[in-house]
Amino acid sequence: MTGSHAVLTTRLTKFFGIQHPIILAPMTPAAGGVLASAVSDAGALGLLGGGYGDRAWFEAETAKVTHPRVGCGFITWSVTPDVELFDRALAQRPTAMMLSFGDPASLGARVKKLGVRLICQVHTIEHAKRAIDIGADVIVAQGTEAGGHGFSVRSTMPFVPDVVDLCATRSPKTLVAAAGGIADGRGLAAALMLGADGVLMGTRFWATQEALIHEDAKARVVAASGDDTIRTTVYDVVRQRAWPFPYTGRLLRNKFVEEWHGREDELGKIQADQLQKVEAASVSGDHDTANVTVGEAIGLVRDLPTARELIDSVVAQAVNRLSASSDLIRTADAPLRRVK
């Protein structure tokens, strides 16, 4: 099968009533209403970014949502002070709510009370246990390869089956989505072989035509390799965002990062002057100064397709890889067949 005719049916697709086992990471600002709608329209699950709970941004992007099956996601600890916005988001986007970073118990209870499907992103086994305990329907097991914030503790390849095994033992109905370094059909096929029910992709959707990202930033990512990312707190310091230890953010190296990485204490003392510089650069598209929040998967990003084109190609490649994998199987008295 190729193109839009390729289908992979998993517990995730059945659970959400979608065609493809792919979830859009609720990235802010990339995952606006247009991108989230395009992903859902293409048969996957679009999640609108909620990020730090910016009301004006969230309301403006909610108005652009055109597909009925679009959920959303928030940074747990940052939206807790504005529960009214969270409750409005639950009412407007009842398909799913994703909670990332911090204890999801309090907000998770509000999600479950309304019957909205709860997705929890985790970075350690202890996080996963907590997500199970509060009734998460889907656990996103994210490795350190991912762009944006997370831990540097676990890598995707060993972490995903670890979480799969945990769920099989403690909560067999809980679904698992793999995240971190997944940008094509090979990553999707690998995640399914690791026991995941699907994948959550951020960086690859970040580099699509519908993503709310400056064209200069997209061009830099297409030209970069996975060697060009770094985990740092530089932009958290300059923006005075109180991310707790040991969270760091993975992003593309640039001149600003090279200047201040390892000098965060010094940066904090002159934060106001540098913040003005960073914010101006974000508007003008100067990404030698402004941040480009992407993961190691940028090495697999070589073009800027539409969301539909991307999903179709990822699924088709995964189907072909999974079909071809049977050629690797041999009996004791038969020669190994090679994949063409």
Side-chain angles (χ1 to χ4, degrees), residues 133-161:
D133 289 344
I134 69 165
D137 297 296
V138 182
I139 293 178
V140 175
Q142 179 178 294
T144 188
E145 299 92 328
H149 286 90
F151 281 16
S152 57
V153 176
R154 301 298 304 270
S155 297
T156 304
M157 184 67 76
F159 185 44
V160 171

mmCIF file of all heavy atoms in Angstrom, residues 133-161:
data_model
loop_
_atom_site.group_PDB
_atom_site.id
_atom_site.type_symbol
_atom_site.label_atom_id
_atom_site.label_comp_id
_atom_site.label_asym_id
_atom_site.label_seq_id
_atom_site.Cartn_x
_atom_site.Cartn_y
_atom_site.Cartn_z
ATOM 1 N N ASP A 133 -1.792 5.902 37.791
ATOM 2 C CA ASP A 133 -2.552 6.042 39.030
ATOM 3 C C ASP A 133 -3.690 7.056 38.906
ATOM 4 O O ASP A 133 -4.734 6.899 39.553
ATOM 5 C CB ASP A 133 -1.629 6.452 40.178
ATOM 6 C CG ASP A 133 -0.697 5.323 40.616
ATOM 7 O OD1 ASP A 133 -0.973 4.166 40.256
ATOM 8 O OD2 ASP A 133 0.309 5.619 41.299
ATOM 9 N N ILE A 134 -3.501 8.099 38.103
ATOM 10 C CA ILE A 134 -4.548 9.117 37.998
ATOM 11 C C ILE A 134 -5.517 8.820 36.846
ATOM 12 O O ILE A 134 -6.425 9.602 36.583
ATOM 13 C CB ILE A 134 -3.958 10.533 37.826
ATOM 14 C CG1 ILE A 134 -3.290 10.688 36.461
ATOM 15 C CG2 ILE A 134 -3.007 10.859 38.952
ATOM 16 C CD1 ILE A 134 -3.031 12.136 36.101
ATOM 17 N N GLY A 135 -5.295 7.700 36.143
ATOM 18 C CA GLY A 135 -6.252 7.274 35.133
ATOM 19 C C GLY A 135 -5.995 7.767 33.728
ATOM 20 O O GLY A 135 -6.932 7.898 32.931
ATOM 21 N N ALA A 136 -4.736 8.022 33.376
ATOM 22 C CA ALA A 136 -4.423 8.453 32.014
ATOM 23 C C ALA A 136 -4.889 7.406 31.008
ATOM 24 O O ALA A 136 -4.690 6.204 31.207
ATOM 25 C CB ALA A 136 -2.921 8.682 31.863
ATOM 26 N N ASP A 137 -5.516 7.856 29.936
ATOM 27 C CA ASP A 137 -5.927 6.945 28.872
ATOM 28 C C ASP A 137 -4.767 6.625 27.939
ATOM 29 O O ASP A 137 -4.677 5.515 27.417
ATOM 30 C CB ASP A 137 -7.069 7.574 28.064
ATOM 31 C CG ASP A 137 -8.310 7.800 28.906
ATOM 32 O OD1 ASP A 137 -8.893 6.801 29.367
ATOM 33 O OD2 ASP A 137 -8.688 8.972 29.104
ATOM 34 N N VAL A 138 -3.906 7.611 27.728
ATOM 35 C CA VAL A 138 -2.741 7.453 26.869
ATOM 36 C C VAL A 138 -1.530 8.024 27.584
ATOM 37 O O VAL A 138 -1.585 9.137 28.118
ATOM 38 C CB VAL A 138 -2.913 8.176 25.516
ATOM 39 C CG1 VAL A 138 -1.697 7.937 24.620
ATOM 40 C CG2 VAL A 138 -4.193 7.733 24.818
ATOM 41 N N ILE A 139 -0.445 7.271 27.593
ATOM 42 C CA ILE A 139 0.824 7.755 28.122
ATOM 43 C C ILE A 139 1.781 7.974 26.965
ATOM 44 O O ILE A 139 2.017 7.069 26.160
ATOM 45 C CB ILE A 139 1.433 6.757 29.126
ATOM 46 C CG1 ILE A 139 0.565 6.672 30.379
ATOM 47 C CG2 ILE A 139 2.855 7.160 29.493
ATOM 48 C CD1 ILE A 139 1.069 5.679 31.409
ATOM 49 N N VAL A 140 2.315 9.179 26.865
ATOM 50 C CA VAL A 140 3.324 9.492 25.857
ATOM 51 C C VAL A 140 4.691 9.328 26.501
ATOM 52 O O VAL A 140 5.076 10.105 27.381
ATOM 53 C CB VAL A 140 3.152 10.931 25.324
ATOM 54 C CG1 VAL A 140 4.290 11.269 24.353
ATOM 55 C CG2 VAL A 140 1.808 11.088 24.640
ATOM 56 N N ALA A 141 5.414 8.296 26.084
ATOM 57 C CA ALA A 141 6.750 8.024 26.606
ATOM 58 C C ALA A 141 7.763 8.771 25.748
ATOM 59 O O ALA A 141 8.039 8.377 24.628
ATOM 60 C CB ALA A 141 7.032 6.524 26.581
ATOM 61 N N GLN A 142 8.287 9.872 26.291
ATOM 62 C CA GLN A 142 9.162 10.750 25.513
ATOM 63 C C GLN A 142 10.619 10.591 25.913
ATOM 64 O O GLN A 142 10.982 10.772 27.069
ATOM 65 C CB GLN A 142 8.761 12.213 25.685
ATOM 66 C CG GLN A 142 9.661 13.179 24.916
ATOM 67 C CD GLN A 142 9.232 14.613 25.064
ATOM 68 O OE1 GLN A 142 8.163 14.987 24.603
ATOM 69 N NE2 GLN A 142 10.049 15.423 25.713
ATOM 70 N N GLY A 143 11.448 10.277 24.927
ATOM 71 C CA GLY A 143 12.879 10.189 25.138
ATOM 72 C C GLY A 143 13.547 11.543 25.016
ATOM 73 O O GLY A 143 12.970 12.514 24.511
ATOM 74 N N THR A 144 14.789 11.601 25.458
ATOM 75 C CA THR A 144 15.526 12.865 25.486
ATOM 76 C C THR A 144 15.860 13.409 24.108
ATOM 77 O O THR A 144 16.264 14.554 23.966
ATOM 78 C CB THR A 144 16.825 12.686 26.303
ATOM 79 O OG1 THR A 144 17.458 13.954 26.495
ATOM 80 C CG2 THR A 144 17.797 11.749 25.587
ATOM 81 N N GLU A 145 15.663 12.600 23.061
ATOM 82 C CA GLU A 145 15.917 13.065 21.695
ATOM 83 C C GLU A 145 14.936 14.137 21.253
ATOM 84 O O GLU A 145 15.186 14.864 20.283
ATOM 85 C CB GLU A 145 15.820 11.890 20.712
ATOM 86 C CG GLU A 145 16.812 10.771 20.946
ATOM 87 C CD GLU A 145 16.254 9.676 21.841
ATOM 88 O OE1 GLU A 145 15.436 9.982 22.734
ATOM 89 O OE2 GLU A 145 16.625 8.511 21.641
ATOM 90 N N ALA A 146 13.813 14.243 21.939
ATOM 91 C CA ALA A 146 12.741 15.143 21.530
ATOM 92 C C ALA A 146 13.151 16.606 21.631
ATOM 93 O O ALA A 146 14.005 16.985 22.436
ATOM 94 C CB ALA A 146 11.499 14.905 22.389
ATOM 95 N N GLY A 147 12.498 17.434 20.811
ATOM 96 C CA GLY A 147 12.694 18.863 20.923
ATOM 97 C C GLY A 147 11.893 19.430 22.083
ATOM 98 O O GLY A 147 10.969 18.805 22.596
ATOM 99 N N GLY A 148 12.251 20.612 22.508
ATOM 100 C CA GLY A 148 11.545 21.243 23.606
ATOM 101 C C GLY A 148 11.952 20.695 24.963
ATOM 102 O O GLY A 148 13.002 20.059 25.103
ATOM 103 N N HIS A 149 11.117 20.893 25.949
ATOM 104 C CA HIS A 149 11.484 20.555 27.322
ATOM 105 C C HIS A 149 11.331 19.067 27.629
ATOM 106 O O HIS A 149 10.507 18.379 27.039
ATOM 107 C CB HIS A 149 10.645 21.371 28.301
ATOM 108 C CG HIS A 149 11.067 22.796 28.381
ATOM 109 N ND1 HIS A 149 10.545 23.768 27.569
ATOM 110 C CD2 HIS A 149 12.003 23.412 29.155
ATOM 111 C CE1 HIS A 149 11.118 24.928 27.845
ATOM 112 N NE2 HIS A 149 12.003 24.739 28.806
ATOM 113 N N GLY A 150 12.133 18.634 28.556
ATOM 114 C CA GLY A 150 12.104 17.249 28.998
ATOM 115 C C GLY A 150 13.304 16.957 29.866
ATOM 116 O O GLY A 150 14.078 17.853 30.226
ATOM 117 N N PHE A 151 13.460 15.690 30.201
ATOM 118 C CA PHE A 151 14.612 15.231 30.972
ATOM 119 C C PHE A 151 15.686 14.731 30.020
ATOM 120 O O PHE A 151 15.433 14.472 28.846
ATOM 121 C CB PHE A 151 14.203 14.078 31.895
ATOM 122 C CG PHE A 151 13.494 14.487 33.157
ATOM 123 C CD1 PHE A 151 12.950 15.747 33.296
ATOM 124 C CD2 PHE A 151 13.357 13.590 34.199
ATOM 125 C CE1 PHE A 151 12.279 16.120 34.448
ATOM 126 C CE2 PHE A 151 12.689 13.942 35.365
ATOM 127 C CZ PHE A 151 12.154 15.203 35.491
ATOM 128 N N SER A 152 16.880 14.575 30.534
ATOM 129 C CA SER A 152 17.958 13.965 29.759
ATOM 130 C C SER A 152 18.278 12.580 30.314
ATOM 131 O O SER A 152 19.389 12.090 30.224
ATOM 132 C CB SER A 152 19.216 14.846 29.799
ATOM 133 O OG SER A 152 19.630 15.062 31.141
ATOM 134 N N VAL A 153 17.260 11.944 30.897
ATOM 135 C CA VAL A 153 17.458 10.676 31.611
ATOM 136 C C VAL A 153 17.304 9.469 30.693
ATOM 137 O O VAL A 153 18.146 8.564 30.689
ATOM 138 C CB VAL A 153 16.463 10.560 32.784
ATOM 139 C CG1 VAL A 153 16.597 9.213 33.482
ATOM 140 C CG2 VAL A 153 16.675 11.706 33.775
ATOM 141 N N ARG A 154 16.228 9.421 29.894
ATOM 142 C CA ARG A 154 15.913 8.227 29.132
ATOM 143 C C ARG A 154 15.895 8.505 27.631
ATOM 144 O O ARG A 154 15.436 9.549 27.181
ATOM 145 C CB ARG A 154 14.533 7.676 29.543
ATOM 146 C CG ARG A 154 14.399 7.311 31.020
ATOM 147 C CD ARG A 154 15.363 6.209 31.431
ATOM 148 N NE ARG A 154 15.227 5.021 30.641
ATOM 149 C CZ ARG A 154 14.407 4.001 30.933
ATOM 150 N NH1 ARG A 154 13.626 4.075 32.000
ATOM 151 N NH2 ARG A 154 14.353 2.939 30.166
ATOM 152 N N SER A 155 16.360 7.517 26.865
ATOM 153 C CA SER A 155 16.302 7.572 25.412
ATOM 154 C C SER A 155 15.073 6.803 24.933
ATOM 155 O O SER A 155 14.618 5.862 25.579
ATOM 156 C CB SER A 155 17.565 6.972 24.800
ATOM 157 O OG SER A 155 18.705 7.727 25.167
ATOM 158 N N THR A 156 14.566 7.188 23.776
ATOM 159 C CA THR A 156 13.307 6.642 23.295
ATOM 160 C C THR A 156 13.327 5.127 23.128
ATOM 161 O O THR A 156 12.397 4.433 23.549
ATOM 162 C CB THR A 156 12.931 7.304 21.955
ATOM 163 O OG1 THR A 156 12.885 8.728 22.140
ATOM 164 C CG2 THR A 156 11.581 6.822 21.461
ATOM 165 N N MET A 157 14.380 4.605 22.501
ATOM 166 C CA MET A 157 14.408 3.180 22.169
ATOM 167 C C MET A 157 14.233 2.266 23.388
ATOM 168 O O MET A 157 13.404 1.350 23.354
ATOM 169 C CB MET A 157 15.696 2.839 21.426
ATOM 170 C CG MET A 157 15.786 1.400 20.947
ATOM 171 S SD MET A 157 14.588 0.990 19.643
ATOM 172 C CE MET A 157 15.361 1.782 18.234
ATOM 173 N N PRO A 158 14.949 2.458 24.494
ATOM 174 C CA PRO A 158 14.712 1.583 25.656
ATOM 175 C C PRO A 158 13.557 2.028 26.542
ATOM 176 O O PRO A 158 12.967 1.213 27.252
ATOM 177 C CB PRO A 158 16.035 1.655 26.430
ATOM 178 C CG PRO A 158 16.602 2.985 26.072
ATOM 179 C CD PRO A 158 16.172 3.275 24.661
ATOM 180 N N PHE A 159 13.221 3.331 26.498
ATOM 181 C CA PHE A 159 12.181 3.831 27.397
ATOM 182 C C PHE A 159 10.791 3.368 26.985
ATOM 183 O O PHE A 159 9.967 2.990 27.833
ATOM 184 C CB PHE A 159 12.253 5.359 27.445
ATOM 185 C CG PHE A 159 11.317 5.991 28.437
ATOM 186 C CD1 PHE A 159 11.167 5.472 29.721
ATOM 187 C CD2 PHE A 159 10.587 7.133 28.100
ATOM 188 C CE1 PHE A 159 10.319 6.054 30.645
ATOM 189 C CE2 PHE A 159 9.745 7.733 29.011
ATOM 190 C CZ PHE A 159 9.599 7.194 30.286
ATOM 191 N N VAL A 160 10.506 3.378 25.698
ATOM 192 C CA VAL A 160 9.160 3.015 25.236
ATOM 193 C C VAL A 160 8.764 1.594 25.658
ATOM 194 O O VAL A 160 7.705 1.396 26.263
ATOM 195 C CB VAL A 160 9.031 3.206 23.715
ATOM 196 C CG1 VAL A 160 7.718 2.616 23.203
ATOM 197 C CG2 VAL A 160 9.110 4.688 23.364
ATOM 198 N N PRO A 161 9.581 0.552 25.377
ATOM 199 C CA PRO A 161 9.168 -0.782 25.821
ATOM 200 C C PRO A 161 9.115 -0.925 27.328
ATOM 201 O O PRO A 161 8.345 -1.739 27.850
ATOM 202 C CB PRO A 161 10.223 -1.709 25.203
ATOM 203 C CG PRO A 161 11.383 -0.842 24.887
ATOM 204 C CD PRO A 161 10.816 0.506 24.573
#
